[in-house]
Amino acid sequence: LGLARVDLYQIHWPFPPMPVEMWAEGLAEAVEAGLTRAVGVSNYSVAQMRRTHALLAKRGIALASNQVEYSLLQRAPERNGVLAACKELGVTLIAYSPIAKGLLSGKYTPANPPPGLRGRQTSRTYLARLQPLIGLLKEIGQAHGGKTPAQAALNWLMCKGAVPIPGVKNARQVQGNVGALGWRLTNDEVNALDLASEPVQL
């Protein structure tokens, strides 16, 4: 990367059977060697995160992040305790696949499914069931100055206390994602999206 040190260095997976403590020791050594400013984990359960947090704390190092899949269609972090534990421990939850590989963008319908492998993995029946949620995202987006469904979905995550990291393929998509910043859904809107997303969880 041509950098003396990186801002954030994360473990991608816990990689059993090696204990998470082994990986945590490596993270601590990277901080102490001046190779990274902060360290985090990815795809860690509550128990794995707590163990890593505790070991790092003994060495005076904060666990900065846990990067997990989280979106309106994948709300496991709310059910499995990861989101609550992140808030308790002061760990930032980084949400990957925040618009569910494009399913929350509003561009896919039963008549226009995703291309390639994603299209084969997503049934037209499911896309039909998804339309009420997409409609609500559009309605809420319009109430906030013409925001897109994707921007509303990203803002929902931020209201939950997560930092979404949407993928981008071009500059236009970068600009679109930036439109999720500088405004906030109301509590009623967050609750309405919670309810509307329940029947279509992946």
Side-chain angles (χ1 to χ4, degrees):
L1 296 174
L3 299 172
R5 61 179 174 171
V6 296
D7 290 321
L8 177 63
Y9 181 47
Q10 295 186 143
I11 297 292
H12 192 191
W13 288 97
F15 291 118
M18 296 296 186
V20 295
E21 285 78 8
M22 187 195 82
W23 305 111
E25 292 285 0
L27 291 174
E29 289 168 12
V31 173
E32 290 164 356
L35 297 174
T36 182
R37 290 182 174 86
V39 289
V41 295
S42 185
N43 302 300
Y44 271 41
S45 68
V46 171
Q48 291 166 332
M49 184 170 61
R50 286 190 184 281
R51 285 162 55 194
T52 300
H53 181 274
L55 187 145
L56 290 172
K58 287 179 182 177
R59 296 177 67 161
I61 298 168
L63 177 63
S65 57
N66 188 2
Q67 181 175 313
V68 296
E69 185 173 1
Y70 187 23
S71 73
L72 273 164
L73 302 185
Q74 178 53 269
R75 292 172 58 192
E78 297 175 14
R79 297 189 298 272
N80 62 23
V82 166
L83 179 62
C86 281
K87 291 178 179 178
E88 175 195 336
L89 298 173
V91 175
T92 297
L93 190 152
I94 300 175
Y96 70 79
S97 295
I99 55 173
K101 300 180 177 69
L103 292 178
L104 293 169
S105 68
K107 63 184 176 181
Y108 299 127
T109 65
N112 181 41
L117 179 61
R118 277 185 298 159
R120 293 191 293 276
Q121 293 174 334
T122 310
S123 71
R124 292 175 190 270
T125 301
Y126 180 76
L127 288 170
R129 289 174 49 219
L130 196 56
Q131 296 315 299
L133 175 60
I134 299 301
L136 180 58
L137 285 167
K138 289 178 179 177
E139 179 184 327
I140 289 172
Q142 285 302 311
H144 287 274
K147 300 299 181 182
T148 67
Q151 289 166 346
L154 293 174
N155 196 277
W156 175 87
L157 280 166
M158 291 186 283
C159 289
K160 292 284 185 171
V163 175
I165 50 168
V168 294
K169 295 178 181 176
N170 52 54
R172 180 181 55 79
Q173 290 180 345
V174 172
Q175 288 301 315
N177 292 336
V178 170
L181 301 173
W183 58 285
R184 191 172 178 86
L185 297 172
T186 66
N187 289 338
D188 286 345
E189 289 167 338
V190 170
N191 292 335
L193 288 169
D194 285 353
L195 289 173
S197 71
E198 283 295 342
V200 288
Q201 290 299 293
L202 292 170

